[in-house]
Amino acid sequence: MTPLLPYFLVYLSGILAALPAAQNFLFPYFLPLATASAGAFLFAQCCPRFSVKAVVLILLFPLGFSSPGWQDQLKPDHHIWNHLQEGQRATVEGWVEDTPTVYPDKVQYRVHLEKITYTQSLPIRVTGTARITLYQPDNPLRAGDRFRINRIKLKRPRNFKNPGRFDYVHYIRSQGIDVLGGLSKAKHIERLGTVPLGAFTSLRSNVRERMLYFFDRHLPQDSAALLKAMLLGEKQYLSKELRQTYIDTGLAHLMAVSGLHIGFVAGACFLILYPLVFYLLWKFRDSWALMGYGRKIVALLCIAPVLFYMLLVGAKISALRAGIMILVYLLAVLINREKYLLNALLVAAFLILIWNPEAVVGPGFLLSFGALLTIVLAIRFMETLPRDALDRLGESPWYRRLPKPRLKEASWGARAYDVLQSTVFITLAALLGTLPILVYFFNHISIGGIFLNLLLVPLTALLIPLGLLASLLAILYEPLGTLLMPLTAGLLHIYVELPQLAAKLPFMSFYVPTPPEIWPILYYALLIVVPLWFRSRRSTQAPMVEYRNLWSRVYPWGLALASFLLIATFIWPRLPFKNGELSVYLLDVGQGESIYMEFPNGKTLLLDGGGYFRNSLDVGKLVVAPFLWHRGLWGLSYVGATHSDHDHISGLESLAELVSIDRFLDRHPAVQDHRIERLRSRLIQQETVPLSLRPGQPWKVGEVQLTLLHPTPEFIAAYPAQNRIGNDLSMVWKIEYGTFSMLLTGDITEKAERYLLEHAAPLQAKILKIPHHGSRTSSHPDFIRAVGAKDVIVSSGRFNVFHHPHPAIVDRYANHGATLWRTDLQGAIRITTDGNNTRIIDHKDL
């Protein structure tokens, strides 16, 4: 056991106890309690008596508990958070900290704020870091440029308040960003001059810019974009299709700078330098060569390229973990200390959590450390397998202890088989160790990646050093770098074409719903117990007969039960029981709308899917789909779009690729609209069946009755001809279950409201989804009186540019005695009813 492990576990337990994301897993404070107990148990094994070490161990818990909030507590009075007026336009001054991130349709700047001025107020000196997005491909600023931006709104990052949502706030905080802002036109940016950058920042910015320019000049577009992602982590240049291909084929880890890349850089430096250093020592200081000083000198020389590459890629968790581990390993070589990978892994984890405690609940930290920890433990397991005494004398490598064909030890076939066998072993170990993390954070599993990694990971060991060497040589003298580009381009062609071919094969990858929280506990328990049982069966030591007999009787049944529960909870994460309740969720999708229903008979319906301005955020994939997977759904029974406005239909377009859909709610008579037609055609290709609905004709799902009230054929005929489904052509639904009733109104305005009133539509309902997000052009007083709802629900985005819901409309409903529920303030709203009793709760109670 490593002596650092108990201290690390106790410190980690303090962090987990302080983070909301880890407090309620399985049951309240299970994770911190289990981690602290493991640390205390391991400490008691090595230090049974109370000592100073025990005091240090105990103090690490409150230190870990307080660490997630220390950065906020140390913020000065002039920090931007203390002067921020969200929703108000301001003039901002500052300077660009790093090279701008250029996308095909936008540019993102990481800026240091210096001054902010709100309307009719004096300038305020502030500090803090902002990420400002310019929604134009033009890039008027570079690293070090001072600027002034007029008419910009700054805001704190916020999460979508839905069950199962991605923790966007944690992601932004892990990047050191305090506030966000956006503008649509570069004319609002005024360049004021430059500020001197630090030596390291200036070097990093200049080298990265020259490398990116060199790749663009000498490589095809897709190859250049891929090399930028693999070498520098610049994934924004990748096409949407290529990025999705790498996700589907399980190769996404190659697009991000990880420990694999830094390890390849260090390994290549060692392989190149060691023969040269040994030759020079043998020629001029042969005694040093015999004493093993060659390895020490090479280890010292390798520190510089590792640090330089870490500087280039920036503070990414996986890169920091690998860099720290490699540096610890190289230092161990220099000082003749034991080189144990688990020690280096713990040092890296400890340092990263001291620097950024909240990283522990992020996917980057868990995937990086989870993969390497599993690989290290798997190798240790292979090394400790009982084997023949003669075999132990030679201490054969771990990868030669697996079954293999009979080959001559020195033959090329034997060496190739060793490489293949070790690559398969490491790939499978990493996949097994990170599978629950991939499922819980991304709901995605790739089968084909197992096979593609066998070919592409070894090639990456050549591509990464080669691409890095070519670009650095080009910075010194470009013709030298171009000499290596044909080989680099040939390798990149394989990386571009092979995954695209593989992605076309069936069952390469699939999305899965989130299993219950007991599932990862069962998974990791089996992952640990099965190898231990396998080793005990091969052990030549004879334990007590009673213990062996008990173990042989209990183990098979326990293993079978755990395996059955593991498979069952994965395949059926949501039990298809019927509880007699109707649940309606109004999801928080920002300035848009998405309504999800679970019927008493187990059927499901999604009405609208939200959408963002210029599709800057894929709401269907990143907001609605995680909610559905969190509910344990493989697919949906029914899907419909009230109309074709971007903030209602965009999410459905991407969702169609992620979950299975049985029926699509179609209109009769149909209204010509290219977006609806495109969505319908895509769903039909995936074997979704259109369900034609007529206004006024009830449609039943079990005991729940749904009636389409609008638009009627007469209203459509009187509506000005146009090839789109506008606001007043929105579907209006009435839902009835027992004494419960609810009216869903889409984005209709007063025009459609008056039509419904004039034609005596059955509008009365206990709950109303407010028309058109609460705009001034909707919610006529006569319409409000006719509905008579006591609870009114609004779907709108916080600080949205339309100012929905309008204050006058809010007051109008309040004057009618209605209670207002708002997704922009309270998050997702859930309505649950058994047909008699109704309960409404917001996200804080979900």
PDB file of all heavy atoms in Angstrom, residues 514-535:
ATOM      1  N   THR A 514     -29.651   6.492 -18.197  1.00  0.00           N
ATOM      2  CA  THR A 514     -28.859   6.455 -16.974  1.00  0.00           C
ATOM      3  C   THR A 514     -29.365   5.350 -16.050  1.00  0.00           C
ATOM      4  O   THR A 514     -30.541   5.358 -15.675  1.00  0.00           O
ATOM      5  CB  THR A 514     -28.940   7.799 -16.246  1.00  0.00           C
ATOM      6  OG1 THR A 514     -28.538   8.837 -17.140  1.00  0.00           O
ATOM      7  CG2 THR A 514     -28.024   7.804 -15.032  1.00  0.00           C
ATOM      8  N   PRO A 515     -28.515   4.395 -15.669  1.00  0.00           N
ATOM      9  CA  PRO A 515     -28.965   3.338 -14.751  1.00  0.00           C
ATOM     10  C   PRO A 515     -29.171   3.898 -13.345  1.00  0.00           C
ATOM     11  O   PRO A 515     -28.699   4.995 -13.025  1.00  0.00           O
ATOM     12  CB  PRO A 515     -27.793   2.332 -14.776  1.00  0.00           C
ATOM     13  CG  PRO A 515     -26.915   2.756 -15.899  1.00  0.00           C
ATOM     14  CD  PRO A 515     -27.123   4.216 -16.088  1.00  0.00           C
ATOM     15  N   PRO A 516     -29.830   3.152 -12.476  1.00  0.00           N
ATOM     16  CA  PRO A 516     -29.978   3.594 -11.081  1.00  0.00           C
ATOM     17  C   PRO A 516     -28.627   3.658 -10.390  1.00  0.00           C
ATOM     18  O   PRO A 516     -27.639   3.066 -10.838  1.00  0.00           O
ATOM     19  CB  PRO A 516     -30.895   2.530 -10.467  1.00  0.00           C
ATOM     20  CG  PRO A 516     -30.790   1.350 -11.366  1.00  0.00           C
ATOM     21  CD  PRO A 516     -30.523   1.878 -12.732  1.00  0.00           C
ATOM     22  N   GLU A 517     -28.566   4.369  -9.282  1.00  0.00           N
ATOM     23  CA  GLU A 517     -27.286   4.652  -8.633  1.00  0.00           C
ATOM     24  C   GLU A 517     -26.630   3.413  -8.036  1.00  0.00           C
ATOM     25  O   GLU A 517     -25.422   3.424  -7.761  1.00  0.00           O
ATOM     26  CB  GLU A 517     -27.483   5.728  -7.563  1.00  0.00           C
ATOM     27  CG  GLU A 517     -27.836   7.084  -8.157  1.00  0.00           C
ATOM     28  CD  GLU A 517     -28.082   8.140  -7.107  1.00  0.00           C
ATOM     29  OE1 GLU A 517     -28.343   7.768  -5.937  1.00  0.00           O
ATOM     30  OE2 GLU A 517     -28.017   9.343  -7.435  1.00  0.00           O
ATOM     31  N   ILE A 518     -27.387   2.346  -7.849  1.00  0.00           N
ATOM     32  CA  ILE A 518     -26.784   1.115  -7.345  1.00  0.00           C
ATOM     33  C   ILE A 518     -25.939   0.435  -8.416  1.00  0.00           C
ATOM     34  O   ILE A 518     -25.057  -0.380  -8.111  1.00  0.00           O
ATOM     35  CB  ILE A 518     -27.890   0.151  -6.838  1.00  0.00           C
ATOM     36  CG1 ILE A 518     -27.292  -1.020  -6.047  1.00  0.00           C
ATOM     37  CG2 ILE A 518     -28.719  -0.366  -7.993  1.00  0.00           C
ATOM     38  CD1 ILE A 518     -26.563  -0.634  -4.793  1.00  0.00           C
ATOM     39  N   TRP A 519     -26.180   0.777  -9.686  1.00  0.00           N
ATOM     40  CA  TRP A 519     -25.504   0.099 -10.789  1.00  0.00           C
ATOM     41  C   TRP A 519     -23.988   0.256 -10.744  1.00  0.00           C
ATOM     42  O   TRP A 519     -23.273  -0.747 -10.862  1.00  0.00           O
ATOM     43  CB  TRP A 519     -26.068   0.591 -12.131  1.00  0.00           C
ATOM     44  CG  TRP A 519     -25.547  -0.165 -13.309  1.00  0.00           C
ATOM     45  CD1 TRP A 519     -25.977  -1.367 -13.768  1.00  0.00           C
ATOM     46  CD2 TRP A 519     -24.481   0.233 -14.177  1.00  0.00           C
ATOM     47  NE1 TRP A 519     -25.255  -1.746 -14.878  1.00  0.00           N
ATOM     48  CE2 TRP A 519     -24.334  -0.787 -15.148  1.00  0.00           C
ATOM     49  CE3 TRP A 519     -23.658   1.353 -14.237  1.00  0.00           C
ATOM     50  CZ2 TRP A 519     -23.379  -0.709 -16.162  1.00  0.00           C
ATOM     51  CZ3 TRP A 519     -22.711   1.422 -15.250  1.00  0.00           C
ATOM     52  CH2 TRP A 519     -22.577   0.396 -16.193  1.00  0.00           C
ATOM     53  N   PRO A 520     -23.411   1.467 -10.608  1.00  0.00           N
ATOM     54  CA  PRO A 520     -21.947   1.543 -10.552  1.00  0.00           C
ATOM     55  C   PRO A 520     -21.351   0.851  -9.339  1.00  0.00           C
ATOM     56  O   PRO A 520     -20.223   0.350  -9.400  1.00  0.00           O
ATOM     57  CB  PRO A 520     -21.673   3.056 -10.527  1.00  0.00           C
ATOM     58  CG  PRO A 520     -22.927   3.675 -10.060  1.00  0.00           C
ATOM     59  CD  PRO A 520     -24.022   2.801 -10.554  1.00  0.00           C
ATOM     60  N   ILE A 521     -22.108   0.796  -8.225  1.00  0.00           N
ATOM     61  CA  ILE A 521     -21.613   0.072  -7.050  1.00  0.00           C
ATOM     62  C   ILE A 521     -21.472  -1.413  -7.380  1.00  0.00           C
ATOM     63  O   ILE A 521     -20.438  -2.040  -7.092  1.00  0.00           O
ATOM     64  CB  ILE A 521     -22.562   0.269  -5.852  1.00  0.00           C
ATOM     65  CG1 ILE A 521     -22.777   1.757  -5.569  1.00  0.00           C
ATOM     66  CG2 ILE A 521     -22.014  -0.446  -4.629  1.00  0.00           C
ATOM     67  CD1 ILE A 521     -21.544   2.507  -5.183  1.00  0.00           C
ATOM     68  N   LEU A 522     -22.505  -1.984  -8.001  1.00  0.00           N
ATOM     69  CA  LEU A 522     -22.441  -3.392  -8.410  1.00  0.00           C
ATOM     70  C   LEU A 522     -21.337  -3.613  -9.436  1.00  0.00           C
ATOM     71  O   LEU A 522     -20.597  -4.603  -9.368  1.00  0.00           O
ATOM     72  CB  LEU A 522     -23.786  -3.829  -8.997  1.00  0.00           C
ATOM     73  CG  LEU A 522     -24.977  -3.940  -8.040  1.00  0.00           C
ATOM     74  CD1 LEU A 522     -26.254  -4.152  -8.831  1.00  0.00           C
ATOM     75  CD2 LEU A 522     -24.752  -5.087  -7.068  1.00  0.00           C
ATOM     76  N   TYR A 523     -21.210  -2.679 -10.366  1.00  0.00           N
ATOM     77  CA  TYR A 523     -20.229  -2.835 -11.448  1.00  0.00           C
ATOM     78  C   TYR A 523     -18.809  -2.897 -10.886  1.00  0.00           C
ATOM     79  O   TYR A 523     -18.045  -3.828 -11.190  1.00  0.00           O
ATOM     80  CB  TYR A 523     -20.368  -1.670 -12.427  1.00  0.00           C
ATOM     81  CG  TYR A 523     -19.396  -1.730 -13.571  1.00  0.00           C
ATOM     82  CD1 TYR A 523     -19.717  -2.396 -14.747  1.00  0.00           C
ATOM     83  CD2 TYR A 523     -18.143  -1.131 -13.485  1.00  0.00           C
ATOM     84  CE1 TYR A 523     -18.824  -2.459 -15.802  1.00  0.00           C
ATOM     85  CE2 TYR A 523     -17.239  -1.190 -14.525  1.00  0.00           C
ATOM     86  CZ  TYR A 523     -17.588  -1.857 -15.678  1.00  0.00           C
ATOM     87  OH  TYR A 523     -16.685  -1.922 -16.714  1.00  0.00           O
ATOM     88  N   TYR A 524     -18.429  -1.914 -10.070  1.00  0.00           N
ATOM     89  CA  TYR A 524     -17.059  -1.887  -9.564  1.00  0.00           C
ATOM     90  C   TYR A 524     -16.811  -2.998  -8.551  1.00  0.00           C
ATOM     91  O   TYR A 524     -15.685  -3.493  -8.424  1.00  0.00           O
ATOM     92  CB  TYR A 524     -16.751  -0.519  -8.959  1.00  0.00           C
ATOM     93  CG  TYR A 524     -16.480   0.540 -10.007  1.00  0.00           C
ATOM     94  CD1 TYR A 524     -17.307   1.652 -10.138  1.00  0.00           C
ATOM     95  CD2 TYR A 524     -15.403   0.421 -10.883  1.00  0.00           C
ATOM     96  CE1 TYR A 524     -17.068   2.619 -11.106  1.00  0.00           C
ATOM     97  CE2 TYR A 524     -15.158   1.379 -11.857  1.00  0.00           C
ATOM     98  CZ  TYR A 524     -15.991   2.465 -11.961  1.00  0.00           C
ATOM     99  OH  TYR A 524     -15.751   3.417 -12.928  1.00  0.00           O
ATOM    100  N   ALA A 525     -17.860  -3.401  -7.837  1.00  0.00           N
ATOM    101  CA  ALA A 525     -17.693  -4.536  -6.921  1.00  0.00           C
ATOM    102  C   ALA A 525     -17.354  -5.802  -7.707  1.00  0.00           C
ATOM    103  O   ALA A 525     -16.436  -6.547  -7.336  1.00  0.00           O
ATOM    104  CB  ALA A 525     -18.973  -4.732  -6.109  1.00  0.00           C
ATOM    105  N   LEU A 526     -18.072  -6.038  -8.805  1.00  0.00           N
ATOM    106  CA  LEU A 526     -17.764  -7.204  -9.641  1.00  0.00           C
ATOM    107  C   LEU A 526     -16.398  -7.069 -10.307  1.00  0.00           C
ATOM    108  O   LEU A 526     -15.664  -8.055 -10.448  1.00  0.00           O
ATOM    109  CB  LEU A 526     -18.842  -7.382 -10.703  1.00  0.00           C
ATOM    110  CG  LEU A 526     -20.188  -7.918 -10.209  1.00  0.00           C
ATOM    111  CD1 LEU A 526     -21.228  -7.843 -11.314  1.00  0.00           C
ATOM    112  CD2 LEU A 526     -20.047  -9.353  -9.726  1.00  0.00           C
ATOM    113  N   LEU A 527     -16.046  -5.859 -10.704  1.00  0.00           N
ATOM    114  CA  LEU A 527     -14.754  -5.637 -11.362  1.00  0.00           C
ATOM    115  C   LEU A 527     -13.594  -5.954 -10.428  1.00  0.00           C
ATOM    116  O   LEU A 527     -12.518  -6.373 -10.864  1.00  0.00           O
ATOM    117  CB  LEU A 527     -14.666  -4.183 -11.833  1.00  0.00           C
ATOM    118  CG  LEU A 527     -13.555  -3.851 -12.831  1.00  0.00           C
ATOM    119  CD1 LEU A 527     -13.742  -4.607 -14.137  1.00  0.00           C
ATOM    120  CD2 LEU A 527     -13.510  -2.351 -13.084  1.00  0.00           C
ATOM    121  N   ILE A 528     -13.805  -5.793  -9.128  1.00  0.00           N
ATOM    122  CA  ILE A 528     -12.753  -6.095  -8.152  1.00  0.00           C
ATOM    123  C   ILE A 528     -12.814  -7.549  -7.708  1.00  0.00           C
ATOM    124  O   ILE A 528     -11.797  -8.245  -7.633  1.00  0.00           O
ATOM    125  CB  ILE A 528     -12.889  -5.154  -6.934  1.00  0.00           C
ATOM    126  CG1 ILE A 528     -12.610  -3.710  -7.353  1.00  0.00           C
ATOM    127  CG2 ILE A 528     -11.936  -5.571  -5.825  1.00  0.00           C
ATOM    128  CD1 ILE A 528     -12.918  -2.698  -6.266  1.00  0.00           C
ATOM    129  N   VAL A 529     -14.022  -8.044  -7.435  1.00  0.00           N
ATOM    130  CA  VAL A 529     -14.168  -9.372  -6.838  1.00  0.00           C
ATOM    131  C   VAL A 529     -13.840 -10.488  -7.822  1.00  0.00           C
ATOM    132  O   VAL A 529     -13.206 -11.480  -7.458  1.00  0.00           O
ATOM    133  CB  VAL A 529     -15.593  -9.535  -6.275  1.00  0.00           C
ATOM    134  CG1 VAL A 529     -15.836 -10.977  -5.844  1.00  0.00           C
ATOM    135  CG2 VAL A 529     -15.805  -8.597  -5.105  1.00  0.00           C
ATOM    136  N   VAL A 530     -14.263 -10.351  -9.071  1.00  0.00           N
ATOM    137  CA  VAL A 530     -14.045 -11.425 -10.047  1.00  0.00           C
ATOM    138  C   VAL A 530     -12.553 -11.730 -10.229  1.00  0.00           C
ATOM    139  O   VAL A 530     -12.148 -12.897 -10.168  1.00  0.00           O
ATOM    140  CB  VAL A 530     -14.720 -11.084 -11.387  1.00  0.00           C
ATOM    141  CG1 VAL A 530     -14.297 -12.065 -12.474  1.00  0.00           C
ATOM    142  CG2 VAL A 530     -16.239 -11.119 -11.232  1.00  0.00           C
ATOM    143  N   PRO A 531     -11.672 -10.724 -10.445  1.00  0.00           N
ATOM    144  CA  PRO A 531     -10.242 -11.056 -10.547  1.00  0.00           C
ATOM    145  C   PRO A 531      -9.670 -11.660  -9.267  1.00  0.00           C
ATOM    146  O   PRO A 531      -8.818 -12.558  -9.325  1.00  0.00           O
ATOM    147  CB  PRO A 531      -9.589  -9.701 -10.860  1.00  0.00           C
ATOM    148  CG  PRO A 531     -10.669  -8.893 -11.472  1.00  0.00           C
ATOM    149  CD  PRO A 531     -11.916  -9.311 -10.769  1.00  0.00           C
ATOM    150  N   LEU A 532     -10.130 -11.171  -8.093  1.00  0.00           N
ATOM    151  CA  LEU A 532      -9.627 -11.733  -6.843  1.00  0.00           C
ATOM    152  C   LEU A 532     -10.036 -13.192  -6.702  1.00  0.00           C
ATOM    153  O   LEU A 532      -9.250 -14.032  -6.230  1.00  0.00           O
ATOM    154  CB  LEU A 532     -10.150 -10.921  -5.659  1.00  0.00           C
ATOM    155  CG  LEU A 532      -9.612  -9.484  -5.535  1.00  0.00           C
ATOM    156  CD1 LEU A 532     -10.254  -8.779  -4.353  1.00  0.00           C
ATOM    157  CD2 LEU A 532      -8.096  -9.500  -5.379  1.00  0.00           C
ATOM    158  N   TRP A 533     -11.259 -13.505  -7.075  1.00  0.00           N
ATOM    159  CA  TRP A 533     -11.702 -14.897  -7.021  1.00  0.00           C
ATOM    160  C   TRP A 533     -10.901 -15.753  -8.002  1.00  0.00           C
ATOM    161  O   TRP A 533     -10.517 -16.880  -7.689  1.00  0.00           O
ATOM    162  CB  TRP A 533     -13.184 -14.965  -7.344  1.00  0.00           C
ATOM    163  CG  TRP A 533     -13.727 -16.362  -7.398  1.00  0.00           C
ATOM    164  CD1 TRP A 533     -14.010 -17.189  -6.341  1.00  0.00           C
ATOM    165  CD2 TRP A 533     -14.046 -17.109  -8.581  1.00  0.00           C
ATOM    166  NE1 TRP A 533     -14.491 -18.395  -6.792  1.00  0.00           N
ATOM    167  CE2 TRP A 533     -14.520 -18.371  -8.173  1.00  0.00           C
ATOM    168  CE3 TRP A 533     -13.994 -16.827  -9.928  1.00  0.00           C
ATOM    169  CZ2 TRP A 533     -14.925 -19.345  -9.057  1.00  0.00           C
ATOM    170  CZ3 TRP A 533     -14.405 -17.794 -10.828  1.00  0.00           C
ATOM    171  CH2 TRP A 533     -14.855 -19.041 -10.396  1.00  0.00           C
ATOM    172  N   PHE A 534     -10.648 -15.194  -9.190  1.00  0.00           N
ATOM    173  CA  PHE A 534      -9.849 -15.920 -10.179  1.00  0.00           C
ATOM    174  C   PHE A 534      -8.453 -16.202  -9.648  1.00  0.00           C
ATOM    175  O   PHE A 534      -7.920 -17.311  -9.808  1.00  0.00           O
ATOM    176  CB  PHE A 534      -9.773 -15.080 -11.463  1.00  0.00           C
ATOM    177  CG  PHE A 534      -8.902 -15.682 -12.522  1.00  0.00           C
ATOM    178  CD1 PHE A 534      -9.329 -16.767 -13.276  1.00  0.00           C
ATOM    179  CD2 PHE A 534      -7.641 -15.155 -12.781  1.00  0.00           C
ATOM    180  CE1 PHE A 534      -8.522 -17.323 -14.245  1.00  0.00           C
ATOM    181  CE2 PHE A 534      -6.829 -15.699 -13.755  1.00  0.00           C
ATOM    182  CZ  PHE A 534      -7.269 -16.790 -14.492  1.00  0.00           C
ATOM    183  N   ARG A 535      -7.856 -15.227  -8.966  1.00  0.00           N
ATOM    184  CA  ARG A 535      -6.516 -15.440  -8.432  1.00  0.00           C
ATOM    185  C   ARG A 535      -6.536 -16.456  -7.296  1.00  0.00           C
ATOM    186  O   ARG A 535      -5.624 -17.267  -7.153  1.00  0.00           O
ATOM    187  CB  ARG A 535      -5.932 -14.115  -7.936  1.00  0.00           C
ATOM    188  CG  ARG A 535      -4.472 -14.232  -7.496  1.00  0.00           C
ATOM    189  CD  ARG A 535      -3.851 -12.897  -7.218  1.00  0.00           C
ATOM    190  NE  ARG A 535      -4.448 -12.239  -6.074  1.00  0.00           N
ATOM    191  CZ  ARG A 535      -4.040 -11.062  -5.609  1.00  0.00           C
ATOM    192  NH1 ARG A 535      -3.053 -10.416  -6.208  1.00  0.00           N
ATOM    193  NH2 ARG A 535      -4.625 -10.514  -4.562  1.00  0.00           N
TER     194      ARG A 535
END
